[in-house]
Amino acid sequence: MVENKQTVIVTGSSRGIGKAIAYAFAQEGHNIVLNGRKPISEEQVQELSQFDGEVMTCIGDISDPDFAQQLIKDTKKQFGSIDVLVNNAGITRDNLLLRMSEEEFDQTLDINLKGTFYTTKAASRYMLKQKSGSIINLASVVGQIGNAGQANYAASKAGIIGFTKSVARELAPRGITVNAIAPGFVESDMTDVLNDKVKETIMTQIPLSRLGQPEEVAEAAVFLSKQKYITGQVLNIDGGMVMNG
Ligand code: NAD
């Protein structure tokens, strides 16, 4: 039995990095809430159910404020607490600035940044009462150094970094930590769509000369959730792409 069983919500956990994060927390014996826009496979639920915690699925769009609230409410109702919130759901709608439509810009900001705002606001209400909790937001190196063709995505991820630091200051007095993870390029469906030429160029920017694995990001999320004296930080998992001072 796990000594300190927690309830962990991972948005966008049907695949990729979110799926790996959910698995890593399940392995620790915690209760897991899976979320995605499309139904979660029975296979994934079974896989996580082999550990000590329970698994709940909550399907819906986190850029819908009503759904985001419902996700948090249903979790609280089912498990009685919300200990870790991982804001992982995210999209890219890449285009060069002059070709970028307002819709592409808005969609990216709505899901990546406003989705994070909705779930964080709803969850922090409970965490403040509990006087404990950990919020982990998925940013990106692109939010730190920019990337041609990703002005919308970079803006959303830079926004997440500012949001993380501000909320960290607000929630710190109640012992709640808020941190961001900034992955570089990690193997997932999101990066699979990049063509070989783009991948080759990316590789030249990574000192460790390889893409990251979702499990490596997941390890960092579990680590941050356990740290009570780290808040308002951005942890880069990027093979050395961005070396912060
Ligand atoms: P992915 O496209 O493989 O998975 C994204 C997940 O988010 C899916 O489960 C999808 O269903 C879910 N999702 C998307 N929109 C949603 C919405 N509106 N509501 C609920 N769920 C939604 O992406 P990934 O590569 O696993 O990326 C996960 C996170 O990590 C994202 O925030 C992404 O921006 C960030 N990130 C990824 C990389 C990378 O190289 N893969 C690099 C930096 C940051």
Side-chain angles (χ1 to χ4, degrees):
M1 275 297 281
V2 196
E3 252 180 53
N4 178 22
K5 185 178 285 190
Q6 303 198 328
T7 300
V8 183
I9 302 173
V10 187
T11 68
S13 41
S14 65
R15 66 182 203 190
I17 294 173
K19 187 176 180 181
I21 292 175
Y23 187 87
F25 277 105
Q27 252 184 328
E28 298 270 309
H30 300 313
N31 298 322
I32 307 294
V33 180
L34 297 171
N35 155 261
R37 275 185 300 189
K38 293 183 193 145
I40 305 278
S41 74
E42 191 48 39
E43 193 188 347
Q44 189 185 353
V45 174
Q46 291 299 326
E47 197 182 27
L48 300 193
S49 303
Q50 65 178 302
F51 303 110
D52 282 346
E54 285 174 47
V55 182
M56 176 179 137
T57 61
C58 201
I59 305 309
D61 181 346
I62 49 112
S63 68
D64 170 357
D66 293 335
F67 170 74
Q69 281 226 5
Q70 202 57 47
L71 167 69
I72 303 300
K73 265 193 192 158
D74 289 353
T75 303
K76 170 76 178 157
K77 197 169 165 207
Q78 175 79 10
F79 295 118
S81 70
I82 298 164
D83 303 294
V84 181
L85 168 66
V86 184
N87 286 308
N88 166 81
I91 61 158
T92 49
R93 291 285 180 272
D94 299 353
N95 224 334
L96 293 172
L97 179 65
L98 291 185
R99 292 193 198 136
M100 187 175 287
S101 67
E102 196 169 340
E103 196 191 351
E104 285 166 336
F105 192 86
D106 286 347
Q107 255 192 345
T108 308
L109 269 289
D110 282 350
I111 293 176
N112 298 5
L113 185 56
K114 283 180 91 178
T116 297
F117 162 64
Y118 295 139
T119 51
T120 302
K121 185 175 172 184
S124 60
R125 213 180 285 282
Y126 296 111
M127 289 180 174
L128 283 165
K129 280 191 198 138
Q130 281 169 200
K131 295 195 177 70
S132 67
S134 166
I135 299 169
I136 298 159
N137 299 323
L138 269 289
S140 166
V141 291
V142 167
Q144 299 169 314
I145 58 172
N147 196 20
Q150 289 197 310
N152 51 356
Y153 182 75
S156 75
K157 295 301 184 179
I160 284 177
I161 291 173
F163 177 81
T164 300
K165 292 180 180 180
S166 303
V167 178
R169 287 183 188 277
E170 279 186 38
L171 303 186
R174 297 283 182 98
I176 301 159
T177 62
V178 189
N179 291 290
I181 292 176
F185 287 86
V186 176
E187 271 183 40
S188 77
D189 290 307
M190 191 180 265
T191 47
D192 267 0
V193 295
L194 301 171
N195 66 40
D196 287 346
K197 193 159 173 266
V198 174
K199 281 188 185 161
E200 260 171 46
T201 312
I202 289 168
M203 216 54 95
T204 63
Q205 299 164 6
I206 307 175
L208 286 173
S209 306
R210 66 172 175 86
L211 297 187
Q213 293 302 313
E215 293 73 22
E216 292 173 307
V217 180
E219 277 173 28
V222 172
F223 165 79
L224 285 174
S225 77
K226 291 179 181 171
Q227 303 307 311
K228 301 292 167 234
Y229 204 57
I230 298 180
T231 198
Q233 302 302 311
V234 183
L235 180 55
N236 280 59
I237 314 283
D238 62 0
M241 274 183 87
V242 178
M243 298 192 183
N244 290 310

